[in-house]
Amino acid sequence: MASSSPPGANASTNLRASGRVRKQPETYTSSPFASSGKRKRGNEEDVDGDGARGMPEDYVSEESEEDAEEDEPDEEELLEQKKRARKAKAPAPKRPAQKKPKMNGASLPIRSASGITRKRAPKKTMVANLEDAQAAGGLYAQVFASGDTFQDTAGKWLKRFDEHESAALAEIVNFVLKCAGSNGGVSEHDVEDPDGVTNKLDDLREEYQASKPTDYPLIAKGKAATSFRNSVTGFFDVLIKAMAVKGDLYANSACMDNVQIWVSTMSSAPNRSFRHTATVVSLSIMTALCEVAQENVESIAKSRLQAETERKKASANKARVKQIEEGGKDKAEYLEIIEPQLKDWFDCVFIHRYRDIDPIIRRDCMIALGDWILTFPDVFSNGQHLRYLGWVLSDSNPATRGEVLKQLHRLYKLKNMGDLKTFTEKFRARMVEIATTDAETSVRVSGIGLLDLLRENGLLEPDDVDTVGRLVFDTDLKVRKAVAGFFSASTEELYNSKIDAIGGLENIEEVLPDVGEDNYETPRLEWLMFKSLAETLQNYDTDENLPSQFERSRSDGGLTLHLGGGESRFSLACEVLYDHVEDLKNWQLLAGYLLFDHSSSRASKAAEDPLSQLKRECELSEKEEMVLLEMLNASVRRTLTDAADRIAGPKSKLKQRDKEKLEVDQEEAARHLANLVPKLLRKFGDVSNTAAAVLRIETVFSLPALKELRQDSLNYSALLDDVRKQFMSHSTNEVLAPASDAILRAKSYGELDEIAEEKVAALWEDVINNLAELLTPTTITVRGATSFEELTALSNNLLRIVRLSAVSDCIPPLEDSSVAPNKNDKYNGAIDYIIALVQRAKPASGPAPDRDEAALEDEVAARAAEAALFYCRWKLKSTITAVITGDSAAVTIDELEVLATRRDTYVEALDAALQARKPGENISVHLTGCVLDLYSSASILKDVQAKPGVSDDYTVLAMDLTPELQKSIMQVFAAAEKNFAKLSGKKLEDALVDDADAEQDAIDEDPMSDPESDDEDDDEPTQTQASQQRRDDKLMETLLAEQTLCALTGKIIHAVFAEVVDDVMVRKRIERNKAKLGHNFKKVLAWLDIGEMQKKKAKATAKGRPKKAAVNGKAKTDFKSNAIVAEDEVDDEIEDADAEDVRALRRRELIDDNELEPDVEEEAVDGAEAEVESVLGD
């Protein structure tokens, strides 16, 4: 073949910059990817040109796994390969100073582009099946099976190219085909006919497809694919550079033209293996050309500098100057030859493949483009090429988006921004969108890191900084950790601006007073950092008006309802900021800042000295104080637990002396904290939210790592006194919940148990005395007979009784007859008054109270019902304990009669209220829950194994739900079901009338009270604050309705397990809309199936066993009634740990028969369904 011009050149061919004609490669006409028009990508599955589904980067078919196992050599083959490998290795002599390797008398350039760290040349690797490589022969065998270096292999090929160009080029094409998995090949005659490239490759592709391949080397599993790719790309990298050194790259560019025709045409093939392999080869050739071109650019610059230096000499050597200039001109001519080649490769391969349907190919293109921009910035570092990175930021594949972000990381780390500023202006919004709303967490994390680089280079707008900074409140821990550095850096900028506004760091340090080692309440510079943190976090908290149990999603703006407690968003933010803000590690200093009295700084506002300005700047608002208290909680928790982990960690390498010192420091810190909490309560205890935040700090002592710390009795007694004061002075769950938790923890300390019991007894006395002062026996059951203020105080006191009953035995204080001074037969203790208050749920016959007063009356009745329920549970626990231990004095007939009487009075009050109120009202739902809990809690009495000699009179406490009460319960369930369906826009199944079931109609009754209007405008387009508030209110109402339905359904299911309701009828009713009311409702109903499986296993296990005693059989007829009760899943206090009956343990869910049970009770009810991210194509 002639080397001057390719055959087939005609008038249609154009001229290169060098004046030589070139022929454009002919692409497949049958390929759908050869079109220059943009292909739109939707959400369809990735498929290749033949309709095969595109496999992800980590996909490996089962057939390929089997083939890989079959192709693995046996032990004899492995030994033979090792022998050949040892023979091929020559002893490594001591190498002198490194020299450039020679290739046919020329040296290969190894210098990298300035400012760019070059990768090491890939090591010579062997393919997994050496025999296959040897059998393939040709260049493939030389690369993978000969043991020669790439330099030697390239040198031998260049010699063969000098001898016969067509045969050598055929070797290159066959090498690429073999790398694609094809066993076909081309001849030298095929290479000499560029017009037949398309037809020849079509034939080879059809032959390859006929073999029904499952994979190809580039996507093999494990390290094989990586080593194979490195070998292929490494060989072409060395080959191109060897051609440049030898001069064939410039003098005989027809060689590259023919390689380009075959490889670029192959890169547009419908077949994935051909297309992917040819793309990888093309990209590696372009990368090598970029490196060669950059070498020429640097040589030109160096020649100019040397010539200029030589001219400035006193006795300039003109011959030397001319020689240097001639060398520079040669390099410039070489550059003029390479640049058009790069453009051709880019236009023929990259332009089509960067939007390939295969995400792996798209990702390879982005990696290569990043390398080209860094290696040869003169051509590629411009908007013309950078835009491809911006377009692929919207790729549908997460790995591809992540790869673009990695390449942008590399670019933004360079000091010379160049056209990146224009690129940033165009695509900054998309980068922020990725960091804030991308569906893939890893991509979001990478996007946040990229935006941090933009911030460092001053390329982010203030609004963008705030948008990213708010991610410190994100629900994903990985995102919070990723944004912590960004947030701390922006806070540092605010801190520095405050220092500059006061007068500078030096002026402030001069006037700051000297402080002692333990003096934390003296103004310091660190206070300004705490102020900056609090100010920034408070400004970023856009959901301050939302209730504490709701949290807004940062991705779609939806709301999530958290049923379980947890840390506040400020504490969670401080957890990730702890490692980035050094001042947060000194929690004593933060506590001193919070305890500082800022009134003096407010009085001296006229002073302009730096110290006074610092004090004024450090003044805190109420919201900022709340933020810092939450941060103090997180800082204390993290500091003490880290120290405890260092002491007790299994991998701790501390010396004994250091370990003892850490233990002493930790105990000292605990004592300091115990002294600190009362001080904080005295300052912040008047406001409920700050008081609750301080009480949560006390929970640090309950951490497992800190439970063994010794507490000073006097300090802890003072701390409990302050907790008692907060318990009595506040009336919200926000404060009473952490206060009651503190009381429960105090009872767990062995040496301080007596002190805790004394404080609890005193607290009970205060609560019962307050109740006695608020009650009037003559009007206790009359709705509307109490003033609003007295009713509020009564409701708050009942809440305190509920909270105390949850952590301590309420029987003695509630049965104390001193609360009934008139010795009324009807009321013999506080519990009788509380049961009577339940009747306030019934509407009065007189004029109806206003809405607020009616809501308060319902609240009193609901809290009274809950307090009475706790009393019944504690009595049941006491009875069960007495039965098991044989304490007959505690289960006398008189005691049981009193308990049964109170229970019946309680049930009658609940039943009367349910009959009088509409099923859709909140009070009906609450009272129904109490009924179900009461009737379910004592079901364990059926399974208690009494001690011999104990009478079975206690079984009179067990009874089933009456049909009337069961009907009321199901009406309330139907109302809750309909309410949630209406708010969420779901449609319920029509009720199926069964003539054979006379009671079905009654159960299907659904008398909803006061239905809300459906005429709300849900599609209001205006994004005003009022419309957003309306949407939030409706969403919160929907979430609360779902929570109500799921909680009520869970209680009904417990009643089914306790066998106190009609199993078949109730199960059929509650499962009617199982598939209609969302995932959470369906997960709750799944417990029915689990319970059924456990019941069947229990029957199978019990087969063949002797029958139990009569005490565990049918309940004895009661002279009062046959009430049954039950235990709720939340009340661990009344559980009997000594019960050994298998059925009882199953019913109480203390054993699970190795069945996996879904944890649905702690799940958050998510009101907004997760949407699949919609990413636009290019």
Side-chain angles (χ1 to χ4, degrees), residues 715-751:
N715 290 341
Y716 205 71
S717 177
L719 177 60
L720 289 179
D721 286 334
D722 287 312
V723 172
R724 173 187 172 189
K725 179 181 177 182
Q726 295 299 318
F727 194 90
M728 295 303 300
S729 59
H730 291 281
S731 56
T732 62
N733 265 318
E734 186 180 14
V735 178
L736 295 182
S740 57
D741 291 342
I743 294 170
L744 182 61
R745 284 189 299 276
K747 295 173 62 179
S748 65
Y749 288 109
E751 67 254 22

Side-chain angles (χ1 to χ4, degrees), residues 45-48 51-64 208 213-216 218-220 272-273 275-276 356-363 397 400:
E45 292 183 346
D46 288 350
V47 293
D48 60 21
R53 181 178 178 178
M55 293 176 285
E57 61 276 9
D58 55 351
Y59 173 81
V60 179
S61 66
E62 295 180 359
E63 296 178 3
S64 65
Y208 175 71
T214 57
D215 60 358
Y216 53 97
L218 281 180
I219 62 169
R272 185 192 181 200
S273 61
R275 192 172 71 250
H276 187 190
D356 193 277
I357 199 170
D358 186 355
I360 301 178
I361 297 177
R362 300 200 299 270
R363 190 168 70 248
N397 181 259
T400 307

